[in-house]
Amino acid sequence: MTARNQRVAEEMKKEIARIIRDEVKDPRLEAGLVSVTGVELSNDRHYAKVYVSIYGDEEARNQAMEGLARATSFIRREIGQRLSLRYTPEITFKLDVSIEHGDHINRLLARVRAGEYADE
């Protein structure tokens, strides 16, 4: 990604997080439940993949992803008004499970450490 795309992606990340937190009124998107972890723009800045981490079980994730899908046009319109871009990118939300994966690895490491200390 070019430096310009990185700057635009970072601004989009901040604004999308703010929009989801403050302005989207969908009960499936409770405050603190959805975190925007990254934005990946195409080279021509016509498409944006927005990576979100959703806290909760599988049902909560599915509900939140449905809520995001319903709010996509509203979020895109708000991004178009807030950022001075020639073209407002088409937004696609993708589930980011890296936080859960990291938590799982930390729990496994803690179990290994506990086993090591118990053997001493």
Side-chain angles (χ1 to χ4, degrees):
M1 217 171 7
T2 65
R4 167 114 172 110
N5 278 6
Q6 288 176 343
R7 286 193 308 270
V8 171
E10 190 60 32
E11 283 300 313
M12 283 185 66
K13 177 182 166 185
K14 290 176 189 174
E15 288 300 324
I16 291 171
R18 193 172 296 134
I19 292 167
I20 291 171
R21 184 185 67 232
D22 298 336
E23 297 181 27
V24 176
K25 302 297 183 209
D26 194 323
R28 296 174 286 194
L29 301 175
E30 295 177 23
L33 185 70
V34 178
S35 299
V36 179
T37 59
V39 174
E40 185 178 296
L41 283 171
S42 64
N43 288 336
D44 60 2
R45 292 188 288 278
H46 284 253
Y47 301 96
K49 291 180 189 173
V50 178
Y51 294 95
V52 293
S53 177
I54 301 169
Y55 182 75
D57 61 359
E58 193 67 30
E59 180 64 26
R61 287 184 187 138
N62 291 336
Q63 291 292 321
M65 288 302 288
E66 287 176 17
L68 287 171
R70 296 273 300 171
T72 299
S73 60
F74 171 75
I75 293 169
R76 182 173 184 235
R77 185 174 56 248
E78 289 295 313
I79 290 295
Q81 292 173 357
R82 294 176 187 204
L83 301 180
S84 59
L85 300 173
R86 180 172 290 157
Y87 182 82
T88 304
E90 292 288 332
I91 296 173
T92 306
F93 287 99
K94 302 285 184 182
L95 186 61
D96 182 3
V97 295
S98 62
I99 293 173
E100 289 86 11
H101 183 69
D103 183 50
H104 176 71
I105 297 297
N106 283 335
R107 282 186 274 135
L108 289 175
L109 289 172
R111 286 176 47 194
V112 168
R113 285 187 199 112
E116 289 175 356
Y117 295 127
D119 293 338
E120 293 181 352

